[in-house]
């Protein structure tokens, strides 16, 4: 079953967490990523004390995790491999909006 988990962390303390399984909300969250453009960040170790974690678990294939330090900086990971494009820190360019993810969590 396809699912998305969203968690809010503050200084290594979990504040809130939800698991989404209904397709309407999953599509809403996935649309946040639809036009996302990334460039590799100069820092591979962003300050993640206050962050949002989004874990995307498809029906088959790797689990993808994205940790947002803020509206611009995110760390992307993959459960299956350490392929060169996974496990890096990226900067969002071109109008990324974290508020949809924050709203879904509330």
């Amino acid at each position: 079953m396809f699912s998305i988990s969203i968690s809010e962390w503050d200084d290594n303390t979990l504040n809130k967490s939800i698991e989404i399984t209904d397709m309407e909300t999953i599509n809403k969250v996935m649309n946040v990523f639809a036009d996302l453009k990334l460039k590799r960040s100069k820092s591979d170790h962003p300050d993640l004390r206050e962050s949002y974690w989004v874990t995307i678990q498809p029906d088959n294939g790797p689990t993808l995790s994205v940790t947002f330090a803020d509206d611009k900086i995110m760390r992307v990971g993959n459960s299956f491999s350490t392929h060169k494009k996974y496990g890096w820190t990226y900067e969002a360019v071109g109008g990324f909006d974290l508020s949809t993810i924050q709203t879904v969590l509330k």
Side-chain angles (χ1 to χ4, degrees):
M1 173 171 68
F2 193 105
S3 67
I4 294 179
S5 299
I6 301 175
S7 345
E8 178 184 32
W9 292 80
D10 185 7
D11 205 17
N12 293 323
T13 302
L14 177 63
N15 288 340
K16 291 182 183 178
S17 183
I18 62 166
E19 183 172 353
I20 304 163
T21 56
D22 75 278
M23 287 310 294
E24 182 178 336
T25 307
I26 286 174
N27 287 334
K28 185 177 184 179
V29 172
M30 293 304 290
N31 283 337
V32 168
F33 300 102
D35 295 322
L36 183 61
K37 298 200 184 338
L38 302 173
K39 73 175 185 177
R40 187 151 172 225
S41 175
K42 294 177 183 170
S43 169
D44 279 335
H45 303 287
D47 180 3
L48 296 175
R49 286 179 293 191
E50 295 178 25
S51 59
Y52 289 89
W53 295 9
V54 177
T55 305
I56 302 166
Q57 176 61 60
D59 291 330
N60 55 32
T63 297
L64 183 67
S65 63
V66 183
T67 305
F68 296 94
D70 57 31
D71 280 345
K72 294 251 184 219
I73 302 298
M74 62 193 71
R75 182 138 180 95
V76 178
N78 170 337
S79 67
F80 276 7
S81 72
T82 55
H83 188 277
K84 66 180 180 180
K85 68 180 176 179
Y86 298 107
W88 299 99
T89 301
Y90 295 95
E91 181 179 345
V93 292
F96 175 71
D97 186 7
L98 185 58
S99 67
T100 299
I101 290 171
Q102 293 167 323
T103 300
V104 168
L105 184 59
K106 296 192 188 256

